[in-house]
Amino acid sequence: MNRRALEGREKALGAEHPYTLSSVNSLASVLQGQGRYEEAEKMNRRALEGREKALGAEHPYTLSSVSSLASVLQGQGRYEEAEKMNRRALEGREKALGAEHPYTLSSVNSLASVLQDQGRYEEAEKMNRRVL
């Protein structure tokens, strides 16, 4: 169904339309849930590049794509890349939404998770305390 929706939106709206990119992001999420990380990464990168182009690097939807890419990278064990993306999402969300916004705190939590996966427990604890 996600592929069908994506194909329909590509045909009707074009490959770079924000609604089409939302369908790309949704498909990436499904692929990640199925453990198809390489395909999910490809879709996440497509959504991110399209959103950066259409909406700008600091737009909340773009930052959502950054966060999604971080998640799939973490799922692949690519922790340094995931950390970089999580930090980008966090910094952008702090700037755009403020330090206490739920999406910002979600980024703090995601960063804590990848820090923990790297064995950086003190840094992860600091981030988790911030979320609390």
Side-chain angles (χ1 to χ4, degrees):
M1 294 309 285
N2 280 300
R3 286 193 192 277
R4 186 174 171 187
L6 174 57
E7 290 169 5
R9 284 185 168 173
E10 284 175 328
K11 186 182 270 188
L13 304 171
E16 300 299 319
H17 191 279
Y19 290 165
T20 304
L21 297 172
S22 290
S23 290
V24 172
N25 210 55
S26 294
L27 178 56
S29 179
V30 169
L31 292 168
Q32 183 178 353
Q34 294 173 339
R36 297 163 64 183
Y37 294 112
E38 289 181 15
E39 292 172 86
E41 180 184 350
K42 182 178 176 181
M43 290 290 108
N44 276 314
R45 288 192 186 281
R46 176 181 167 191
L48 175 57
E49 290 169 12
R51 284 178 167 173
E52 284 174 329
K53 189 175 177 182
L55 305 171
E58 300 299 318
H59 191 281
Y61 290 165
T62 303
L63 297 172
S64 177
S65 288
V66 171
S67 184
S68 295
L69 178 56
S71 177
V72 79
L73 291 169
Q74 185 176 0
Q76 293 174 310
R78 294 163 60 188
Y79 301 125
E80 289 179 13
E81 293 172 87
E83 179 184 349
K84 182 179 175 182
M85 290 290 107
N86 277 315
R87 288 191 187 280
R88 177 181 166 188
L90 175 57
E91 289 170 14
R93 286 175 167 170
E94 284 175 328
K95 185 177 176 182
L97 304 171
E100 301 301 318
H101 191 280
Y103 290 162
T104 303
L105 295 175
S106 176
S107 288
V108 174
N109 191 63
S110 295
L111 179 56
S113 176
V114 79
L115 291 169
Q116 183 174 332
D117 285 349
Q118 294 177 82
R120 295 163 60 189
Y121 301 115
E122 290 180 17
E123 293 172 86
E125 179 182 357
K126 183 179 176 183
M127 293 291 112
N128 282 318
R129 288 187 185 281
R130 177 177 168 188
V131 173
L132 290 174

